[in-house]
Amino acid sequence: MKTKMSIPYLSWKSMKYNRQKTVFLILTVSLAVCLMTVFWQYLYSSRQRSAEIAALEAGAYHAEYGNLSNWQLSRLNNCKAIREVMPVQSKDGVDYVKIILKSNINCKNTLRDIENKYGIQENQIQWNIPYLDSINIGIEEILQAFCIIAGLIFVSGIVVYNIYNIYMIQNIQILGAMKAAGFDSRQLKLFLKTESIIIGITGSLAGIISGECVSFLLIPMLGNAENISVGLKVRTTPGIAVLSFAVGVLIVLLGIQKPVKTAAEKSVIEMIRYVPAYNPWRAGRKDNGKKRITLWDFCKINLNRNQKRNRWVVLSLTVTGVLFLVTASIIDSMNIENLLKLTIQGDYSIGLKDEAGRNKKSGIRLDEHILEELQKQDGIEELHPIMYDRLLWTEEDAKKYARITEEFRELGIGYEDMDSIIYGYDDAYMERCLQLTGNEISLEDIKEQDYIILVQKGISEFHAGDTIHFQIDNGASGDVIEFKIAGVLKNNITYRGYSGAGNDFILHQKRFEAFNLDSRIQRVSVTVKETEKENVGSYLEKLTENNQNMELESFDEQKEEYTAQKEALERGSYSVLIFLFCISAVNLINTSLSNILSQKRELGILEAIGMTRGQESRLLQMESAALTFSGGAIACLIGIPLGYMGFCLFRQSASYAVYKAPVMQCFLLMMGYIVIQGLIAAMIQYGLDKISITDKIRQ
């Protein structure tokens, strides 16, 4: 028999004695750590894949510097931020070196600091933009990750706090006896914190192992749905495991602070005499003389005397529900039909490949005989030819209307480089654009006068009635043409596949010819009868497969691709929410079990005076239903407005989004809560049925 017991030994014994609390805490921590491990590994794996693709296409280095002095070269070789300086073969008689930095965190700013420090000029610098974009970790990304971690810690911390709070209430007299036996406040805190650290370590290890398993199942599936040629493989680093482990322990330590402090500050007499069911707020109140007490009365009594723990359960369920509804509102707003209409008008699009379309002098175009063949084909209802050109703004207009963004500065784009894609539409498409602008300018005016339509981009401050000046032939001849803006479109009705530095503009095809712009037909939008889609599709494939300069795009194929990407996003988002839902369910189960365990004797007495097992079962269901319905209702009341706010923010960068009220999601949320509360009530009732009335009263 032990004559001397250490605090770790007592903590271990306490964990074994309070198995329910220990299991729920370990489960909560392991779920949180598992979710965090999967999240970090997905981000890391996705970033590594992007870096590999960029490295294959552009090389695995951050920047090239040329024409360096011996002093600059020696400083670069000794710079602590640079991992490697690699000399490369001279280009046009100029010697270059490739720079590889030690860290990818804010690497663009690091390059600027190096260039400013050592006097490296713009004409000496060539940034590897594709590689930098794929591996740069900016402050915004770090803040986003921090917000996700903070949210996860908050939800998990609520559960840990509630579990420990219940544990303290149920064992307050035992802890008081320990203080009476000689424990001081410091030792009591050490005893409880040692127990929590053991639980945190165990839960974190279990979460890391389960997170690795889930990652190998989930991450490749998400990657395969992204329609990228290089598959997504699970990549990991020791840092992910260390970070997830530390967060798991931190969740427990933060969650126990208040309960431990409360227990340490109470006197021995208060702890030993503490009565959990006593509510001083109701102590002086008189009953209203009810002669008949219903099950709902019993339910209200039980809920009122456990208000504090019940509030934390409702908060946990509310937070999970709100996150679910906000996520659902944003994902459901992704209207694939609208997105496709921005790229493909009609059912098919035949166009020149990018290389042929960009080269004005090549003379490659969609021949007239191709258009004639398309018009003769049965099943084709509409054909709309489209022209494109690219024009530079005058520097005066660029300075007057445009804003040079941080991204432009990184790419070396200045006012003298501001250019636009000019779309040439036929009568039908031009008429549609005019209707969307809402202005009263006629189609004839657009065809005969120097009117042009602006497409919003957020980098300029044009309005209807302003004028824009473009340079002809990149300004080599000095000729300038002037257009008056007839109206402003929020979105174009087609998309070239890329944009210039400035806004896109829309011009009638007749004005293309008048100003000697690139009047080649580079794309044709094809609309077909529904019954003839298959036949026309086969015909168009044969028409384009033997022409190396042409490509065919199908509305249905693009829709399948975008739908697959949306489904991958849904799977990833809802997988995260399922983990959070499980954490909240653990909180609900623990609270319900603790409430029932504290009522065992009362239930036994009620059974002894006539309560049936069926009534007892309904009472338990009413208590758990009250908690779940409260959490679900509050989540809907808060989640729907927040979801709309999230949609409004998302729409600023995704004009194709269309808001849909999350009615079905609210229904699914409530159904999920109902199922959970039903399972909990059934599980508790199953345990109580095994205990006799006598045993209940004795406990």
Side-chain angles (χ1 to χ4, degrees), residues 430-468:
M430 207 71 202
E431 191 75 57
R432 189 181 304 179
C433 291
L434 286 172
Q435 291 173 359
L436 292 172
T437 62
N439 290 353
E440 297 181 356
I441 297 175
S442 67
L443 179 62
E444 290 303 317
D445 290 338
I446 288 286
K447 293 169 68 173
E448 300 299 332
Q449 300 182 35
D450 298 338
Y451 280 116
I452 199 166
I453 295 175
L454 169 80
V455 181
Q456 274 187 353
K457 192 177 180 180
I459 62 160
S460 64
E461 299 177 0
F462 283 107
H463 301 91
D466 291 339
T467 56
I468 175 73

CSV table of all heavy atoms in Angstrom, one decimal, residues 430-468:
chain,number,residue,atom,x,y,z
A,430,MET,N,-24.8,43.1,-79.4
A,430,MET,CA,-24.7,44.5,-79.0
A,430,MET,C,-26.0,45.0,-78.4
A,430,MET,O,-26.0,45.8,-77.4
A,430,MET,CB,-24.3,45.3,-80.2
A,430,MET,CG,-23.6,46.6,-79.9
A,430,MET,SD,-21.9,46.2,-79.3
A,430,MET,CE,-21.5,47.7,-78.4
A,431,GLU,N,-27.1,44.5,-79.0
A,431,GLU,CA,-28.5,44.9,-78.5
A,431,GLU,C,-28.6,44.4,-77.0
A,431,GLU,O,-29.2,45.1,-76.2
A,431,GLU,CB,-29.5,44.3,-79.4
A,431,GLU,CG,-30.9,44.8,-79.1
A,431,GLU,CD,-31.2,46.2,-79.7
A,431,GLU,OE1,-31.0,46.4,-80.9
A,431,GLU,OE2,-31.5,47.1,-78.8
A,432,ARG,N,-28.2,43.2,-76.8
A,432,ARG,CA,-28.3,42.7,-75.4
A,432,ARG,C,-27.4,43.5,-74.4
A,432,ARG,O,-27.9,43.8,-73.3
A,432,ARG,CB,-27.8,41.2,-75.4
A,432,ARG,CG,-28.1,40.5,-74.1
A,432,ARG,CD,-27.5,39.1,-74.1
A,432,ARG,NE,-28.1,38.3,-75.2
A,432,ARG,CZ,-27.8,37.0,-75.5
A,432,ARG,NH1,-26.9,36.4,-74.7
A,432,ARG,NH2,-28.3,36.4,-76.5
A,433,CYS,N,-26.2,43.9,-74.8
A,433,CYS,CA,-25.4,44.7,-74.0
A,433,CYS,C,-26.0,46.1,-73.7
A,433,CYS,O,-26.0,46.6,-72.6
A,433,CYS,CB,-24.0,44.9,-74.6
A,433,CYS,SG,-23.0,43.4,-74.7
A,434,LEU,N,-26.6,46.7,-74.7
A,434,LEU,CA,-27.3,48.0,-74.5
A,434,LEU,C,-28.5,47.9,-73.5
A,434,LEU,O,-28.7,48.8,-72.7
A,434,LEU,CB,-27.8,48.5,-75.9
A,434,LEU,CG,-26.7,49.0,-76.8
A,434,LEU,CD1,-27.3,49.4,-78.2
A,434,LEU,CD2,-26.1,50.3,-76.2
A,435,GLN,N,-29.2,46.8,-73.6
A,435,GLN,CA,-30.3,46.6,-72.7
A,435,GLN,C,-29.8,46.4,-71.2
A,435,GLN,O,-30.4,47.0,-70.3
A,435,GLN,CB,-31.1,45.3,-73.0
A,435,GLN,CG,-31.9,45.4,-74.3
A,435,GLN,CD,-32.5,44.1,-74.8
A,435,GLN,OE1,-32.4,43.1,-74.1
A,435,GLN,NE2,-33.3,44.2,-75.9
A,436,LEU,N,-28.6,45.8,-71.1
A,436,LEU,CA,-28.1,45.6,-69.7
A,436,LEU,C,-27.6,46.9,-69.1
A,436,LEU,O,-27.6,47.1,-67.9
A,436,LEU,CB,-27.0,44.6,-69.8
A,436,LEU,CG,-27.4,43.1,-70.0
A,436,LEU,CD1,-26.2,42.2,-70.2
A,436,LEU,CD2,-28.2,42.6,-68.9
A,437,THR,N,-27.1,47.8,-70.0
A,437,THR,CA,-26.6,49.1,-69.5
A,437,THR,C,-27.8,50.0,-69.0
A,437,THR,O,-27.6,50.9,-68.1
A,437,THR,CB,-25.8,49.9,-70.6
A,437,THR,OG1,-26.7,50.2,-71.7
A,437,THR,CG2,-24.6,49.1,-71.0
A,438,GLY,N,-28.9,49.8,-69.6
A,438,GLY,CA,-30.1,50.6,-69.2
A,438,GLY,C,-30.1,52.0,-69.8
A,438,GLY,O,-31.0,52.8,-69.6
A,439,ASN,N,-29.1,52.3,-70.7
A,439,ASN,CA,-29.1,53.7,-71.4
A,439,ASN,C,-30.0,53.7,-72.6
A,439,ASN,O,-30.3,52.6,-73.2
A,439,ASN,CB,-27.7,54.1,-71.7
A,439,ASN,CG,-26.9,54.4,-70.5
A,439,ASN,OD1,-27.4,54.4,-69.4
A,439,ASN,ND2,-25.6,54.6,-70.6
A,440,GLU,N,-30.4,54.8,-73.1
A,440,GLU,CA,-31.3,55.0,-74.2
A,440,GLU,C,-30.6,55.2,-75.5
A,440,GLU,O,-31.1,55.7,-76.4
A,440,GLU,CB,-32.3,56.1,-73.9
A,440,GLU,CG,-33.2,55.9,-72.7
A,440,GLU,CD,-34.1,57.0,-72.5
A,440,GLU,OE1,-34.1,58.0,-73.2
A,440,GLU,OE2,-35.0,56.8,-71.6
A,441,ILE,N,-29.4,54.8,-75.6
A,441,ILE,CA,-28.6,54.9,-76.9
A,441,ILE,C,-29.0,53.8,-77.8
A,441,ILE,O,-29.1,52.6,-77.4
A,441,ILE,CB,-27.1,54.9,-76.6
A,441,ILE,CG1,-26.7,56.1,-75.8
A,441,ILE,CG2,-26.3,54.9,-77.9
A,441,ILE,CD1,-25.3,56.1,-75.4
A,442,SER,N,-29.3,54.1,-79.0
A,442,SER,CA,-29.8,53.1,-80.0
A,442,SER,C,-28.7,52.3,-80.6
A,442,SER,O,-27.5,52.7,-80.6
A,442,SER,CB,-30.7,53.8,-81.1
A,442,SER,OG,-29.8,54.5,-81.9
A,443,LEU,N,-29.1,51.1,-81.2
A,443,LEU,CA,-28.1,50.3,-81.9
A,443,LEU,C,-27.5,51.0,-83.1
A,443,LEU,O,-26.3,50.9,-83.4
A,443,LEU,CB,-28.8,49.0,-82.3
A,443,LEU,CG,-27.9,48.0,-83.1
A,443,LEU,CD1,-26.7,47.5,-82.2
A,443,LEU,CD2,-28.7,46.8,-83.6
A,444,GLU,N,-28.3,51.8,-83.8
A,444,GLU,CA,-27.8,52.6,-84.9
A,444,GLU,C,-26.8,53.6,-84.5
A,444,GLU,O,-25.8,53.8,-85.2
A,444,GLU,CB,-29.0,53.3,-85.6
A,444,GLU,CG,-29.9,52.4,-86.4
A,444,GLU,CD,-29.2,51.5,-87.4
A,444,GLU,OE1,-28.4,52.1,-88.1
A,444,GLU,OE2,-29.5,50.3,-87.4
A,445,ASP,N,-27.0,54.2,-83.4
A,445,ASP,CA,-25.9,55.2,-82.9
A,445,ASP,C,-24.6,54.4,-82.6
A,445,ASP,O,-23.5,55.0,-82.8
A,445,ASP,CB,-26.4,55.9,-81.6
A,445,ASP,CG,-27.6,56.8,-81.9
A,445,ASP,OD1,-27.7,57.3,-83.0
A,445,ASP,OD2,-28.3,57.1,-80.9
A,446,ILE,N,-24.7,53.3,-82.0
A,446,ILE,CA,-23.5,52.5,-81.6
A,446,ILE,C,-22.8,52.1,-82.9
A,446,ILE,O,-21.6,52.1,-83.0
A,446,ILE,CB,-24.0,51.2,-80.9
A,446,ILE,CG1,-24.4,51.6,-79.4
A,446,ILE,CG2,-22.8,50.2,-80.8
A,446,ILE,CD1,-23.2,51.9,-78.5
A,447,LYS,N,-23.6,51.8,-84.0
A,447,LYS,CA,-22.9,51.3,-85.2
A,447,LYS,C,-22.3,52.5,-86.0
A,447,LYS,O,-21.3,52.3,-86.7
A,447,LYS,CB,-24.0,50.6,-86.1
A,447,LYS,CG,-24.5,49.3,-85.5
A,447,LYS,CD,-25.7,48.8,-86.2
A,447,LYS,CE,-25.4,48.3,-87.6
A,447,LYS,NZ,-26.5,47.6,-88.3
A,448,GLU,N,-22.9,53.7,-85.9
A,448,GLU,CA,-22.5,54.8,-86.8
A,448,GLU,C,-21.6,55.8,-86.0
A,448,GLU,O,-20.8,56.5,-86.7
A,448,GLU,CB,-23.7,55.5,-87.3
A,448,GLU,CG,-24.6,54.6,-88.2
A,448,GLU,CD,-23.9,54.0,-89.4
A,448,GLU,OE1,-23.0,54.7,-89.9
A,448,GLU,OE2,-24.3,53.0,-89.8
A,449,GLN,N,-21.7,55.9,-84.7
A,449,GLN,CA,-21.0,56.9,-84.0
A,449,GLN,C,-19.9,56.2,-83.1
A,449,GLN,O,-19.9,55.0,-83.0
A,449,GLN,CB,-21.9,57.7,-83.1
A,449,GLN,CG,-23.0,58.5,-83.9
A,449,GLN,CD,-23.9,59.3,-83.0
A,449,GLN,OE1,-23.4,59.8,-82.0
A,449,GLN,NE2,-25.1,59.4,-83.3
A,450,ASP,N,-19.0,57.0,-82.5
A,450,ASP,CA,-17.9,56.5,-81.8
A,450,ASP,C,-18.2,56.2,-80.3
A,450,ASP,O,-17.6,56.8,-79.4
A,450,ASP,CB,-16.7,57.5,-81.9
A,450,ASP,CG,-16.2,57.7,-83.3
A,450,ASP,OD1,-16.5,56.8,-84.1
A,450,ASP,OD2,-15.6,58.8,-83.6
A,451,TYR,N,-19.2,55.3,-80.1
A,451,TYR,CA,-19.6,54.9,-78.8
A,451,TYR,C,-18.9,53.6,-78.5
A,451,TYR,O,-18.7,52.7,-79.3
A,451,TYR,CB,-21.1,54.7,-78.7
A,451,TYR,CG,-21.9,56.0,-78.6
A,451,TYR,CD1,-22.8,56.5,-79.5
A,451,TYR,CD2,-21.7,56.8,-77.4
A,451,TYR,CE1,-23.5,57.7,-79.4
A,451,TYR,CE2,-22.4,58.0,-77.2
A,451,TYR,CZ,-23.3,58.4,-78.2
A,451,TYR,OH,-24.0,59.6,-78.1
A,452,ILE,N,-18.7,53.4,-77.2
A,452,ILE,CA,-18.1,52.1,-76.7
A,452,ILE,C,-18.7,51.8,-75.3
A,452,ILE,O,-19.1,52.7,-74.6
A,452,ILE,CB,-16.5,52.3,-76.6
A,452,ILE,CG1,-15.9,50.9,-76.6
A,452,ILE,CG2,-16.1,53.1,-75.5
A,452,ILE,CD1,-14.4,50.9,-76.9
A,453,ILE,N,-18.8,50.6,-75.0
A,453,ILE,CA,-19.3,50.1,-73.7
A,453,ILE,C,-18.2,49.7,-72.8
A,453,ILE,O,-17.3,48.9,-73.2
A,453,ILE,CB,-20.4,49.0,-73.9
A,453,ILE,CG1,-21.6,49.6,-74.7
A,453,ILE,CG2,-20.9,48.5,-72.6
A,453,ILE,CD1,-22.6,48.6,-75.0
A,454,LEU,N,-18.2,50.1,-71.6
A,454,LEU,CA,-17.2,49.7,-70.6
A,454,LEU,C,-17.6,48.6,-69.7
A,454,LEU,O,-18.8,48.5,-69.3
A,454,LEU,CB,-16.9,51.0,-69.7
A,454,LEU,CG,-16.0,50.7,-68.4
A,454,LEU,CD1,-14.6,50.7,-68.8
A,454,LEU,CD2,-16.3,51.8,-67.4
A,455,VAL,N,-16.7,47.7,-69.4
A,455,VAL,CA,-17.0,46.6,-68.5
A,455,VAL,C,-16.3,46.9,-67.2
A,455,VAL,O,-15.1,47.1,-67.2
A,455,VAL,CB,-16.5,45.2,-69.0
A,455,VAL,CG1,-16.9,44.1,-68.0
A,455,VAL,CG2,-17.2,44.9,-70.4
A,456,GLN,N,-17.0,46.9,-66.1
A,456,GLN,CA,-16.4,47.2,-64.8
A,456,GLN,C,-15.3,46.3,-64.4
A,456,GLN,O,-15.4,45.1,-64.6
A,456,GLN,CB,-17.5,47.2,-63.7
A,456,GLN,CG,-18.2,48.5,-63.5
A,456,GLN,CD,-19.2,48.5,-62.3
A,456,GLN,OE1,-19.4,47.5,-61.7
A,456,GLN,NE2,-19.8,49.6,-62.1
A,457,LYS,N,-14.3,46.8,-63.7
A,457,LYS,CA,-13.2,46.0,-63.2
A,457,LYS,C,-12.7,46.4,-61.9
A,457,LYS,O,-12.1,45.6,-61.2
A,457,LYS,CB,-12.0,46.0,-64.2
A,457,LYS,CG,-11.0,44.9,-64.0
A,457,LYS,CD,-9.9,44.9,-65.0
A,457,LYS,CE,-8.9,43.8,-64.8
A,457,LYS,NZ,-7.8,43.9,-65.8
A,458,GLY,N,-13.1,47.6,-61.4
A,458,GLY,CA,-12.7,48.0,-60.1
A,458,GLY,C,-11.3,48.7,-60.0
A,458,GLY,O,-10.9,49.1,-59.0
A,459,ILE,N,-10.7,48.9,-61.2
A,459,ILE,CA,-9.4,49.6,-61.2
A,459,ILE,C,-9.4,51.0,-61.8
A,459,ILE,O,-8.4,51.7,-61.9
A,459,ILE,CB,-8.3,48.8,-62.0
A,459,ILE,CG1,-8.7,48.6,-63.4
A,459,ILE,CG2,-8.1,47.4,-61.3
A,459,ILE,CD1,-7.6,48.3,-64.3
A,460,SER,N,-10.6,51.4,-62.3
A,460,SER,CA,-10.8,52.7,-62.9
A,460,SER,C,-12.0,53.4,-62.4
A,460,SER,O,-12.9,52.8,-61.7
A,460,SER,CB,-10.8,52.5,-64.4
A,460,SER,OG,-12.0,51.8,-64.8
A,461,GLU,N,-12.2,54.7,-62.8
A,461,GLU,CA,-13.3,55.5,-62.3
A,461,GLU,C,-14.0,56.1,-63.5
A,461,GLU,O,-14.4,57.3,-63.5
A,461,GLU,CB,-12.8,56.5,-61.3
A,461,GLU,CG,-12.1,55.9,-60.1
A,461,GLU,CD,-11.5,57.0,-59.2
A,461,GLU,OE1,-11.7,58.2,-59.5
A,461,GLU,OE2,-10.9,56.6,-58.1
A,462,PHE,N,-14.3,55.3,-64.5
A,462,PHE,CA,-15.1,55.8,-65.6
A,462,PHE,C,-16.6,55.8,-65.3
A,462,PHE,O,-17.1,55.0,-64.5
A,462,PHE,CB,-14.9,54.9,-66.8
A,462,PHE,CG,-13.5,55.0,-67.5
A,462,PHE,CD1,-12.5,54.1,-67.4
A,462,PHE,CD2,-13.3,56.2,-68.3
A,462,PHE,CE1,-11.3,54.3,-68.0
A,462,PHE,CE2,-12.1,56.3,-68.9
A,462,PHE,CZ,-11.1,55.4,-68.8
A,463,HIS,N,-17.3,56.7,-66.0
A,463,HIS,CA,-18.7,56.8,-65.9
A,463,HIS,C,-19.3,57.0,-67.3
A,463,HIS,O,-18.5,57.4,-68.3
A,463,HIS,CB,-19.2,57.9,-65.0
A,463,HIS,CG,-18.7,57.8,-63.6
A,463,HIS,ND1,-17.5,58.4,-63.2
A,463,HIS,CD2,-19.2,57.2,-62.5
A,463,HIS,CE1,-17.3,58.2,-61.9
A,463,HIS,NE2,-18.3,57.4,-61.5
A,464,ALA,N,-20.6,56.7,-67.5
A,464,ALA,CA,-21.2,56.9,-68.8
A,464,ALA,C,-21.0,58.4,-69.2
A,464,ALA,O,-21.3,59.3,-68.4
A,464,ALA,CB,-22.7,56.5,-68.7
A,465,GLY,N,-20.6,58.6,-70.4
A,465,GLY,CA,-20.4,60.0,-70.9
A,465,GLY,C,-18.9,60.4,-70.9
A,465,GLY,O,-18.6,61.4,-71.6
A,466,ASP,N,-18.1,59.7,-70.2
A,466,ASP,CA,-16.6,60.0,-70.2
A,466,ASP,C,-16.1,59.6,-71.6
A,466,ASP,O,-16.7,58.8,-72.3
A,466,ASP,CB,-15.9,59.3,-69.1
A,466,ASP,CG,-16.3,59.8,-67.7
A,466,ASP,OD1,-16.7,61.0,-67.7
A,466,ASP,OD2,-16.1,59.1,-66.7
A,467,THR,N,-14.9,60.0,-71.9
A,467,THR,CA,-14.2,59.7,-73.1
A,467,THR,C,-12.9,58.9,-72.8
A,467,THR,O,-12.3,59.1,-71.7
A,467,THR,CB,-13.8,60.9,-73.9
A,467,THR,OG1,-13.0,61.8,-73.1
A,467,THR,CG2,-15.0,61.6,-74.4
A,468,ILE,N,-12.6,58.0,-73.6
A,468,ILE,CA,-11.4,57.2,-73.5
A,468,ILE,C,-10.6,57.2,-74.8
A,468,ILE,O,-11.1,57.2,-75.9
A,468,ILE,CB,-11.7,55.7,-73.1
A,468,ILE,CG1,-10.5,54.8,-73.1
A,468,ILE,CG2,-12.7,55.1,-74.1
A,468,ILE,CD1,-9.6,55.0,-71.9
